[in-house]
């Protein structure tokens, strides 16, 4: 994969040679100032090859899996946090599936937690029993055990390996694009439904390097789907969710004068302060943070800014692998790091932080 940062107003979403061979030649189109390849393919809706639980030798679930009578709203990307094996064989992939299930049994779960797993060799496997059947049926969904709060709303996709300091092999990446495209088609989702585990939980999953490529994943899936995207798509953060995005909300609440501890846990106090903030600004006082609240809560930042909003910015940048001192002062170093982030996200490299940069920081999609 090409890791060269894109240049502002002349960005190109580059695809590696093997991806181009897999997907076929196409034409260039522009999405939000970013050039990307639109692929001509005889049947873009064709399902990728997915090995069922029976195929890879899963044991029966230890209890009934819950079938939910609705479609999921989100695709959540994970990594297995296992060794980056160079054995890319089918047998190694199936052994991984069995190992994960046994580990999840040992954790007290009734079955594999995620819905699908992709090996480093690119083999796609059904995880939790009936996930493949429900995906093919389109209107139903198996409740997972891969992320608190989102288990009833998100399809979990595990990617074999640890991607904090490495990118996935081409074979895995191609299968991830294909699987995400198929899930979107089956459940009527858009590419902006793809998020990382860390967007909703206090974890480094799916690894800093893979997380940094979620924009490319969304763009490639979008190119396959050919659907329109909204200008900005924000993650919905509510009670029970933890992690960096919760810290950002808590810092921003403090910047407006709300007494909020920055714990990274979205509990009753944070929900109460969000409801007060919403009511004070004419929004529905629902106590969770959706698109309207994000758009109202964020604050523009530039060199010379200081305070809790800058702490939120610097903490987010650090969490994404950008070395940034968290001191609450927006100086030349923070400006440089912001510009690096903007370049890597395909945003105009302006050095100040507006809505699009905030959206990208919290894991949202910017068209």
């Amino acid at each position: 994969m090409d890791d060269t940062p894109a240049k502002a107003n002349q960005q190109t979403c580059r695809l590696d040679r093997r991806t181009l061979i897999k997907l076929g030649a196409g034409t260039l189109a522009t999405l939000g100032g970013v050039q990307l390849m639109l692929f001509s393919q005889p049947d873009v809706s064709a399902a990728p090859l997915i090995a069922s639980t029976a195929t890879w030798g899963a044991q029966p679930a230890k209890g009934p899996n819950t079938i939910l009578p609705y479609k999921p709203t989100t695709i959540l990307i994970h990594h297995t946090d296992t060794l980056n094996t160079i054995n890319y064989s089918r047998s190694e992939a199936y052994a991984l599936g069995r190992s994960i299930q046994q580990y999840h049994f040992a954790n007290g779960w009734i079955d594999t937690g995620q819905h699908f797993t992709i090996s480093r060799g690119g083999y796609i496997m059904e995880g939790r029993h009936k996930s493949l059947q429900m995906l093919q049926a389109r209107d139903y969904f198996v409740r997972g055990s891969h992320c608190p709060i989102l288990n009833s709303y998100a399809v979990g996709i595990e990617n074999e390996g640890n991607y904090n300091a490495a990118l996935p092999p081409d074979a895995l990446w191609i299968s991830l694009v294909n699987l995400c495209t198929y899930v979107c088609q089956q459940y009527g989702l858009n590419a902006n439904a793809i998020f990382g585990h860390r967007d909703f939980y206090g974890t480094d999953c799916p690894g800093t390097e893979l997380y940094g490529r979620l924009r490319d994943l969304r763009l490639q899936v979008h190119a396959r789907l050919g659907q329109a995207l909204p200008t900005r798509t924000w993650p919905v953060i509510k009670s029970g969710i933890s992690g960096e995005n919760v810290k950002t909300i808590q810092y921003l609440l403090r910047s407006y004068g709300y007494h909020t501890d920055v714990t990274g846990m979205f509990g009753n106090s944070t929900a109460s302060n969000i409801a007060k903030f919403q009511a004070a600004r004419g929004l529905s006082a629902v106590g969770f943070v959706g698109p309207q609240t994000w758009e109202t809560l964020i604050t523009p930042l530039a060199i010379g800014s200081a305070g809790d909003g800058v702490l939120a910015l610097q903490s987010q940048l650090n969490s994404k692998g950008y070395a940034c001192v968290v001191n609450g002062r927006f100086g030349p170093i923070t400006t440089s790091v912001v510009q690096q982030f903007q370049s890597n996200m395909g945003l105009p490299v302006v050095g100040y932080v507006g809505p699009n940069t905030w959206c990208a920081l919290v894991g949202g999609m910017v068209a």
Side-chain angles (χ1 to χ4, degrees), residues 2-119:
D2 188 337
D3 294 319
T4 305
K7 302 299 182 183
N9 301 320
Q10 281 188 320
Q11 302 101 358
T12 299
C13 180
R14 305 183 192 277
L15 305 183
D16 62 89
R17 178 180 60 83
R18 290 178 62 185
T19 302
L20 288 169
I21 292 172
K22 175 75 174 180
L23 298 179
T27 57
L28 282 174
T30 300
L31 174 64
V34 180
Q35 282 192 324
L36 63 153
M37 188 70 71
L38 293 178
F39 301 99
S40 56
Q41 191 167 320
D43 184 6
V44 75
S45 64
L49 182 62
I50 302 173
S52 68
T53 51
T55 299
W56 58 261
Q59 290 186 9
K62 294 186 180 295
N65 281 317
T66 302
I67 306 300
L68 302 170
Y70 53 79
K71 300 178 181 182
T73 60
T74 307
I75 299 173
L76 216 54
I77 305 301
H78 303 261
H79 70 175
T80 60
D81 198 15
T82 53
L83 294 177
N84 290 337
T85 180
I86 58 174
N87 184 342
Y88 292 174
S89 67
R90 180 185 284 107
S91 60
E92 180 73 7
Y94 291 0
L96 171 72
R98 294 189 294 270
S99 174
I100 289 174
Q101 187 187 40
Q102 291 303 313
Y103 179 73
H104 289 180
F105 281 160
N107 280 347
W109 301 346
I110 61 171
D111 200 358
T112 300
Q114 71 275 9
H115 298 88
F116 300 98
T117 306
I118 305 175
S119 76

Side-chain angles (χ1 to χ4, degrees), residues 170-188:
D170 288 351
L172 188 155
W173 180 263
I174 290 167
S175 290
L176 181 58
V177 173
N178 290 341
L179 179 59
C180 286
T181 301
Y182 184 60
V183 172
C184 284
Q185 289 166 335
Q186 291 299 102
Y187 284 132

Side-chain angles (χ1 to χ4, degrees), residues 236-315:
V236 177
I237 308 298
K238 58 182 69 175
S239 290
I241 288 175
S242 64
E244 192 63 36
N245 284 346
V246 178
K247 289 174 63 177
T248 294
I249 291 165
Q250 292 166 335
Y251 274 126
L252 291 173
L253 282 169
R254 290 203 327 191
S255 74
Y256 285 96
Y258 294 87
H259 178 71
T260 306
D261 294 329
V262 180
T263 62
M265 293 293 300
F266 199 122
N268 293 334
S269 175
T270 300
S272 175
N273 282 332
I274 283 293
K276 292 175 185 176
F277 174 86
Q278 290 165 331
R281 283 153 182 81
L283 304 174
S284 298
V286 291
F288 63 83
V289 181
Q292 280 190 313
T293 303
W294 274 119
E295 296 274 353
T296 309
L297 187 62
I298 58 172
T299 182
L301 299 172
I303 193 165
S305 299
D308 287 307
V310 178
L311 289 173
L313 164 68
Q314 293 168 332
S315 184

